[in-house]
Amino acid sequence: MADDKDFDQINKLLTDLSLNGKISKNQHGVLQSSLKAIFPSSSKDCDSRLHHLQSLLEKGQVDLSGEQIAEIRTIVSDHFQAIWDELFVDYSTADGKKMSRAERAISKNTDGNLVYGEVAFDSFAQILWCQYLSLSPSAVFYDLGSGTGRAVFAAMMCCDFRKAVGIEIVDCLYQASQQVLKKYENNVRESLPVERQKCNISFVKQSFLEYDWSDGDLIFANSTCFDESLMNEIAKKTSQLKEGAYIVTFTKRLGAEFQHLRLLDSSQYQMSW
C-alpha cells in the first residue's frame, strides 16, 4: 500500500530530474519504491508505460529522458486530478460560467473583468511544477479571482503550500467555493498525503485590489479577460510582495514599465476559455 509521502517523494525527485536529467543512487531507490508502492505490478492501473519505467529503474538507469520524466509526472497528475474532479463534480466549469453570467445579469454588471474562466488541472500542474518555480514547504498561494476554487485546490494538491487563499468578489462563485471547501474538509482532506493535509485553505469575498496578499509566494491571476487598467493595478500591488515571489498570469502580461518585475517564462497551455 502506498505511504502518504510517496507522491510527495516523487514530486521532489522529479524536480531534480527536470533540472539535471539524472538522480543520485539514493534518490533512484526512493523513486523506484514510491512508484511500486503507488502502482504495484498487479495493479490494474499499472499500464504499459509504467511497466517500462519500472523496468528501467530496476536496471539502475538514472538518466531518464524528458519523455519518461513527463510520463511519471502524468501518473502523479492523473492521481490528483481524479480527486480534484470528484471534488468539483457539483460545480463544473459550465456551471460556474452559468452562475456568474446569471448574477451579473441580475445586477446589470457589464464589467468584462468579471467574465468567468477556469484552469485545467493538468495544464495548471505543469505550470506549478515548472523549473522556474522554487517554492518552500512554507509557501503561500493566492488566486486573484478564484471562482469556485479550482486553482486553489489544484495548487494545494500539486505543491506543499502552507496556506492557499482564493479571493472572489462574485457572491455565487464565492458561495460555491465555500461548499467545495466543506466537502473537502469532510470527505477528502484525510485521504491526501500528510504534507497536503497541512495546507490551510480559505476563501474570502472581496476585491483582490483591496485584500492584502503581500505575504504571498505565488500569486495566480486567470487574467484573460482583465483589461489593461486592472493589470496595471495588479502590477502596482506586486511591489508589496517579498523579493523572490512569483506571479502567474494568463494571456495578459504585467506592464514592462514596472521595474520590480522580471519575466521568467511565457508558454501556452490549454485552459477553459
Side-chain angles (χ1 to χ4, degrees):
M1 181 177 294
D3 184 85
D4 284 335
K5 294 184 178 180
D6 284 317
F7 285 101
D8 291 320
Q9 292 275 26
I10 290 175
N11 278 331
K12 290 179 174 64
L13 293 177
L14 289 176
T15 299
D16 286 343
L17 277 167
S18 297
L19 293 174
N20 306 320
K22 62 181 180 179
I23 53 179
S24 69
K25 289 184 178 180
N26 180 60
Q27 290 174 319
H28 170 278
V30 173
L31 179 57
Q32 182 178 353
S33 62
S34 294
L35 280 174
K36 282 189 173 181
I38 296 168
F39 294 99
S41 58
S42 61
S43 170
K44 64 180 180 181
D45 297 317
C46 188
D47 61 22
S48 60
R49 295 174 308 152
L50 187 56
H51 274 303
H52 178 62
L53 289 170
Q54 288 177 330
S55 68
L56 291 176
L57 290 169
E58 289 169 359
K59 293 175 183 177
Q61 181 170 332
V62 296
D63 54 343
L64 301 180
S65 69
E67 182 179 348
Q68 291 162 343
I69 294 170
E71 287 179 349
I72 301 175
R73 282 283 197 207
T74 299
I75 293 165
V76 176
S77 176
D78 287 350
H79 172 80
F80 284 119
Q81 180 165 355
I83 299 173
W84 187 75
D85 287 341
E86 175 60 28
L87 194 57
F88 286 93
V89 70
D90 295 324
Y91 294 102
S92 68
T93 297
D95 292 335
K97 291 180 178 180
K98 185 183 298 184
M99 290 188 298
S100 177
R101 282 196 298 266
E103 180 166 321
R104 286 184 287 117
I106 292 173
S107 62
K108 298 182 179 180
N109 189 327
T110 59
D111 187 352
N113 291 313
L114 298 179
V115 173
Y116 183 82
E118 276 294 3
V119 300
F121 186 92
D122 54 348
S123 295
F124 198 54
Q126 291 179 50
I127 294 171
L128 293 169
W129 289 336
C130 82
Q131 60 181 310
Y132 298 103
L133 298 182
S134 178
L135 299 166
S136 74
S138 61
V140 175
F141 174 86
Y142 283 100
D143 181 3
L144 310 184
S146 52
T148 58
R150 286 176 174 264
V152 171
F153 283 101
M156 175 275 297
M157 291 180 184
C158 292
C159 302
D160 294 337
F161 288 108
R162 172 175 59 84
K163 181 172 72 171
V165 182
I167 310 168
E168 177 57 58
I169 198 170
V170 178
D171 184 66
C172 63
L173 299 179
Y174 165 74
Q175 296 299 336
S177 70
Q178 291 294 91
Q179 291 303 310
V180 176
L181 178 59
K182 183 177 180 180
K183 180 178 181 179
Y184 166 76
E185 295 290 356
N186 292 337
N187 304 328
V188 177
R189 182 190 285 272
E190 291 187 358
S191 68
L192 294 178
V194 173
E195 294 305 313
R196 300 297 189 268
Q197 293 183 38
K198 293 177 182 178
C199 182
N200 180 18
I201 299 174
S202 63
F203 296 93
V204 293
K205 182 189 172 186
Q206 191 173 346
S207 165
F208 57 69
L209 293 181
E210 297 174 358
Y211 191 84
D212 180 11
W213 34 270
S214 61
D215 64 329
D217 296 282
L218 176 58
I219 313 300
F220 169 63
N222 195 340
S223 53
T224 297
C225 290
F226 290 2
D227 61 26
E228 183 178 358
S229 175
L230 182 55
M231 292 300 288
N232 285 337
E233 289 301 315
I234 293 173
K236 290 177 183 176
K237 279 186 70 72
T238 61
S239 65
Q240 302 171 19
L241 294 170
K242 70 191 78 172
E243 184 176 354
Y246 303 92
I247 180 162
V248 174
T249 62
F250 282 176
T251 310
K252 310 285 181 64
R253 295 184 184 180
L254 299 176
E257 66 272 22
F258 295 95
Q259 298 299 312
H260 64 282
L261 297 172
R262 180 166 62 94
L263 180 65
L264 296 178
D265 185 41
S266 178
S267 303
Q268 290 187 336
Y269 297 91
Q270 184 175 350
M271 294 295 170
S272 72
W273 298 99

